[in-house]
Amino acid sequence: MKIGLDTFACDGGKSGVGMYLTQLLKRFKPSEALFELFGWEYDRYTYSDVAPNFEFIPQCSIHGRTANSIWHIYKYPKFAVNRQFDACFFPAAHKHLPYRSPCPAIGVVHDMAAYYGDRKTRVPLGALLRMMMPNSLRRLDRIIAVSGWVKQELIERARVKENRIEVVPNGIDHSSFYPRQRNEESVLLIQPFSFRRPYVLCVSRIDHPIKNHSRLIEAFNIFKEKTKYPHRLVMAGGDSNNASVVKDIASSSPWRSDIFFTGHFPIKSLPELYAGADFVVVPSMYEGFGMGVIEAMACGVPVLCARAASLPEAAEHAALYFDPSNAEDMADRMITISSDRSMYNECRRLGLERAKEYSWETCVERTLQIIYETAGK
């Protein structure tokens, strides 16, 4: 059995989807099926450490979203036939898909953010892909949704039949994300950075307005003004849409010297960054799953969470919630968690329990079952 695996739109393993694919490849067993990866030439060695026995076939020599969409529509079908795939797996099906596939196709949808809100707030997708995506999703043989929220959006926004969608939540690597001993040092050294503690952490690409960093900065200003606590605000994530807007807002803050942007943060050092935080804030207006919620909880750090999209589904009763459109409400939760030690400890305890319910092993096992079932094994 030969399975094609599309690595386009996985951002070289750096984005959330890229991390998802990396975790899957680490656990796929070549003895069970022959997997062939295909994608950009510059990704040839991206997954060689985690999948050294999988062949990588470079495709689509012209870079760019439009060119890649055209490749998937016109070139992929012939490519799949020539490679004699028994099935093809698309781990970023919400970003790139063929219109038709000559072999059974399975796609993972991490979010429908490109269809959320109006033109000013939604994630850019491109006119061609936006027009064709709902039809392409409906043509998939099976769809894996990472949350019940995403499943419902697929049904309502793309009119996909419910019986073709299965919810398989993302996992977490508990060998990396776990509580660490909290020492009393005032500065945490994580190469190439140093962070003065205590700090409030937000892990997300800087994407305005959907990730809601601007309101987080407003809430942080209120928090600092009311408490005079020494906390800093650390925002870890690479620049994305309208990042300059967020940075301009930060530079005009009266507490701008306490606001720190790391840019893209090394994945291997992320657990240590979480573990050193006083608490984590997830202010997003939209998330398809909420990986940052589970990662923070697994590290034993209390989470303050927007009551929006899939986030309550991920965190359940283990987070303190706020209205993401209300900076005062967000600031109130920040004050509560930093001043009420019993609440702090309870959130930490509940978060650790909640994080135990997620594992990559469970995610990969069910994902492989779906792939093999669809391929006719």
Side-chain angles (χ1 to χ4, degrees), residues 280-293:
V280 168
V281 183
V282 184
S284 299
M285 303 293 289
Y286 183 99
E287 291 286 350
F289 176 72
M291 181 61 78
V293 171

Side-chain angles (χ1 to χ4, degrees), residues 78-232:
K78 184 177 180 180
F79 169 74
V81 170
N82 289 341
R83 300 307 302 177
Q84 298 181 320
F85 291 148
D86 292 293
C88 199
F89 179 61
F90 297 90
H94 59 301
K95 292 186 175 183
H96 285 294
L97 270 184
Y99 190 65
R100 295 177 185 273
S101 178
C103 62
I106 309 98
V108 183
V109 177
H110 296 265
D111 62 59
M112 293 290 285
Y115 296 87
Y116 167 79
D118 57 26
R119 185 170 296 182
K120 292 181 180 179
T121 60
R122 66 193 183 200
V123 172
L125 186 63
L128 178 62
L129 200 55
R130 174 178 297 281
M131 179 178 64
M132 302 190 71
M133 180 62 76
N135 280 334
S136 298
L137 288 167
R138 287 194 293 271
R139 291 175 185 272
L140 287 171
D141 294 273
R142 299 285 291 278
I143 294 179
I144 295 172
V146 298
S147 66
W149 172 271
V150 171
K151 177 179 179 176
Q152 193 59 37
E153 286 207 307
L154 283 164
I155 295 169
E156 294 176 358
R157 296 180 185 273
R159 303 194 308 279
V160 177
K161 292 183 179 179
E162 184 175 0
N163 61 4
R164 292 165 65 187
I165 310 169
E166 179 158 349
V167 176
V168 182
N170 291 339
I172 190 167
D173 184 355
H174 290 279
S175 67
S176 297
F177 293 90
Y178 58 86
R180 287 159 169 79
Q181 184 174 353
R182 297 292 292 267
N183 298 318
E184 297 303 319
E185 71 271 15
S186 60
V187 177
L188 181 65
L189 298 176
I190 306 176
Q191 296 299 329
F193 305 101
S194 63
F195 300 96
R196 192 174 75 241
R197 297 173 62 190
Y199 61 87
V200 179
L201 178 63
C202 175
V203 178
S204 169
R205 69 181 186 272
I206 310 301
D207 190 342
H208 178 78
I210 199 164
K211 295 298 184 179
N212 211 23
H213 290 91
S214 58
R215 203 161 277 120
L216 172 59
I217 294 170
E218 184 181 350
F220 180 71
N221 292 341
I222 297 169
F223 167 76
K224 292 286 284 187
E225 180 62 34
K226 287 187 175 180
T227 66
K228 302 298 190 294
Y229 287 166
H231 293 64
R232 300 182 78 198

